[in-house]
Amino acid sequence: MSIWTSKGGAAALLCCAVLSGCVVPPGGGANSGAQPGRQAVLGGAVTLAAPPGYCIEPASRLEREDTAILLMGRCDGAADRAPAVLTGTVGAAGSGAGVDIAGGGPELAAFFRSERGRAALSRRGRARDVVLHEALGINGAFLLRLTDTGPGKGTPVQAQSWRAVLPLGGRLVSLTVAGTAAAPLDRAAGRKLIEAFVVATRAANRGTTAKSTATP
């Protein structure tokens, strides 16, 4: 069965669409009240975890209709880390069921290169705004590097970003990393940071990944 025609497919699109419009303050840093870079959401169903040197924006947490979204930025005092906008989105229960990251790479890449897939990645839902540069699988996640030329809301971030899609605990989780407009991340730095984001989040959910590959 195609993962994009299963019940997980719709949630995957919603996750990617929601992800695009979220930003943090101009400096890309978390404020002095920021929590550590790990936060359980949806009653502990999934834990989102930032890479070292990045912290959760405490006021950004939003949960509704069995989904969650959380923003992260550079921690205070972490001047050795690049200013960056990190976003984690968790889909509804069952949204990640049947999603085969390891075996579904070609299908995933084809979907996100399609007009429908690019529209799902766009801030404004417009395929013509998005150029997909790379689509590849890594251990337990699927990575996308793209440029979205559509204007975002709030504080500007760079047009190019890295996204990761991975199933955890039966839910589809989407992670995104972008630099700020004033301090954009280059390709290598962006990929390193998104991979660290994936590693941190997977490590925070050890014991839940087995559920994510179950067939509905």
Side-chain angles (χ1 to χ4, degrees):
M1 176 187 295
S2 166
I3 63 172
W4 301 113
T5 56
S6 70
K7 65 181 179 180
L13 301 185
L14 288 174
C15 283
C16 290
V18 169
L19 242 169
S20 303
C22 300
V23 297
V24 295
N31 61 38
S32 59
Q35 299 299 307
R38 180 179 289 204
Q39 176 68 62
V41 297
L42 301 172
V46 171
T47 297
L48 294 170
Y54 294 87
C55 291
I56 293 164
E57 293 286 344
S60 73
R61 180 178 173 183
L62 176 64
E63 298 185 15
R64 64 182 181 187
E65 298 179 359
D66 199 30
T67 64
I69 188 166
L70 195 66
L71 304 185
M72 306 172 191
R74 185 173 63 176
C75 299
D76 283 349
D80 60 329
R81 305 291 175 174
V85 180
L86 286 71
T87 310
T89 305
V90 180
S95 60
V99 176
D100 180 7
I101 296 295
E107 185 178 7
L108 287 166
F111 170 76
F112 283 114
R113 291 188 189 281
S114 72
E115 184 171 356
R116 184 182 174 202
R118 286 182 288 111
L121 294 169
S122 168
R123 293 185 179 98
R124 298 193 292 182
R126 302 195 321 184
R128 66 179 180 271
D129 289 347
V130 172
V131 177
L132 184 60
H133 305 291
E134 296 182 67
L136 65 152
I138 61 169
N139 184 27
F142 194 76
L143 302 186
L144 304 160
R145 182 172 66 91
L146 62 115
T147 296
D148 185 352
T149 59
K153 296 180 180 179
T155 302
V157 295
Q158 74 177 111
Q160 188 173 122
S161 64
W162 280 92
R163 312 279 177 89
V165 181
L166 61 156
L168 290 172
R171 296 172 184 263
L172 197 76
V173 176
S174 295
L175 309 175
T176 189
V177 163
T180 65
L185 296 172
D186 64 24
R187 177 188 175 279
R191 177 162 178 176
K192 182 178 180 180
L193 189 53
I194 192 67
E195 288 188 357
F197 199 179
V198 170
V199 167
T201 297
R202 281 174 55 82
N205 290 276
R206 293 197 190 283
T208 68
T209 52
K211 301 178 185 177
S212 68
T213 56
T215 301

